Amino acid sequence: MPADVTYLGAGAVRELAARLGVRPTKTWGQNFVVDANTVKRIVRLGQVGPDDVVLEIGPGLGSLTLGLAAEAAAVYAVEIDPVLAAALPGTLAAYAPARADRVHVLAQDALTLTDLPQPPTRVVANLPYNVAVPVVLHVLGRFPTIERVMVMVQLEVAERLAAPPGSRTYGAPSVKAAWYGHARLAGTVPRSVFWPVPNVDSGLVSVDRQAPPTAPVAREEVFAVVDAAFAQRRKMLRSALARMAGSPAAAAVALEAAGVDPTLRGEQLDVAAFARVAASLRHMGPVVHG
Ligand code: SAM
């Protein structure tokens, strides 16, 4: 780790917040990391190297940004809170003077991010917990150059993203993450590394990009089938997809054509099976009522 970066400890984080008049808000999921070892661990697990262009969502006071600046070629830090976004360049200049110019701060909602000046190769972030899943899915969909995601999220969300078919926590986020790559729980994080201390446990989850299933169907169509299947989680697929197919019988035909037993539930299907079902539903053409 280069020596020209000073990490933020608990004292520095509180002092910075006080100076800026920042009172952490739950609305934006503001729990700041106050532990250098946690920052170093996340950067290491993110496999950030000197060629990487990192997208960081929610840099906050800059705890993780400093660790990323120490390793990456460039960091794009997207922060929704205008006060935090405005303060970040000053913090970087003070705590990582030789590396501050490689960090670019964008004051905006990550969910509206559509372009970056350089194609990102990594997403590394301590995410705001209330929008963690939509943010991860949005950036994976928007930036195909991202090879690896390493994010800290609520432990329950990390488990859901990484859950295999058939498990209790497997749901729409698991299938959608699997569309983009291989998601894996990479560890847990104690509550004590945050200020303020959150009232939920945290975990690290990685997604390594893989090619999506080969089916003649758009991602949006597959995701629509996934949403329909999990909207009525307890229902058999032939019922859950009835509205989409036109009737339970039509859904059963489409499922069978995709090689899927119509009496299964969504939680038993992997992403490749969902892609086959979406392709088969589309093959049936527009639904004719009457
Ligand atoms: N990365 C910092 C750290 O580790 O100390 C802060 C992490 S804090 C859990 C989440 C950060 O995301 C906050 O700074 C918050 O203002 C920001 N944030 C919340 N919603 C956001 C959004 N939709 N887009 C961008 N930033 C967001």
Side-chain angles (χ1 to χ4, degrees), residues 144-286:
T145 50
I146 293 168
E147 296 154 358
R148 184 173 175 82
V149 170
M150 172 56 66
V151 287
M152 180 143 71
V153 294
Q154 191 176 335
L155 183 58
E156 213 182 288
V157 172
E159 286 170 348
R160 205 175 303 149
L161 282 167
S167 69
R168 193 177 44 83
T169 44
Y170 188 68
S174 333
V175 188
K176 291 179 185 177
W179 174 270
Y180 295 110
H182 179 61
R184 210 172 58 84
L185 186 64
T188 57
V189 181
R191 296 180 188 197
S192 57
V193 306
F194 299 97
W195 174 77
V197 176
N199 50 15
V200 292
D201 290 322
S202 298
L204 292 164
V205 63
S206 61
V207 184
D208 284 306
R209 174 84 68 175
Q210 282 173 346
T214 43
V217 64
R219 176 180 75 213
E220 291 74 15
E221 293 172 66
V222 180
F223 283 14
V225 175
V226 171
D227 287 333
F230 285 101
Q232 297 167 305
R233 203 185 162 88
R234 302 254 132 249
K235 285 200 174 173
M236 292 178 193
L237 285 165
R238 69 171 173 223
S239 311
L241 303 183
R243 166 121 45 123
M244 250 184 167
S247 69
V253 170
L255 285 157
E256 267 160 13
V260 174
D261 178 348
T263 65
L264 291 180
R265 294 181 172 78
E267 62 207 40
Q268 291 159 289
L269 262 53
D270 66 9
V271 66
F274 272 110
R276 291 201 308 275
V277 172
S280 155
L281 278 166
R282 180 215 246 185
H283 189 67
M284 290 171 54

Side-chain angles (χ1 to χ4, degrees), residues 2 34 115 124 157 177 230 252:
V34 297
D115 287 303
V124 182
V157 172
F230 285 101

Side-chain angles (χ1 to χ4, degrees), residues 28-33 56 58-60 63 78-81 84 108-110 126-128:
W28 283 332
Q30 292 177 342
N31 299 92
F32 304 112
V33 172
E56 183 192 5
S63 308
V78 182
E79 172 59 59
I80 200 169
D81 184 333
L84 292 176
Q108 71 174 90
D109 182 341
N126 169 19
L127 288 176

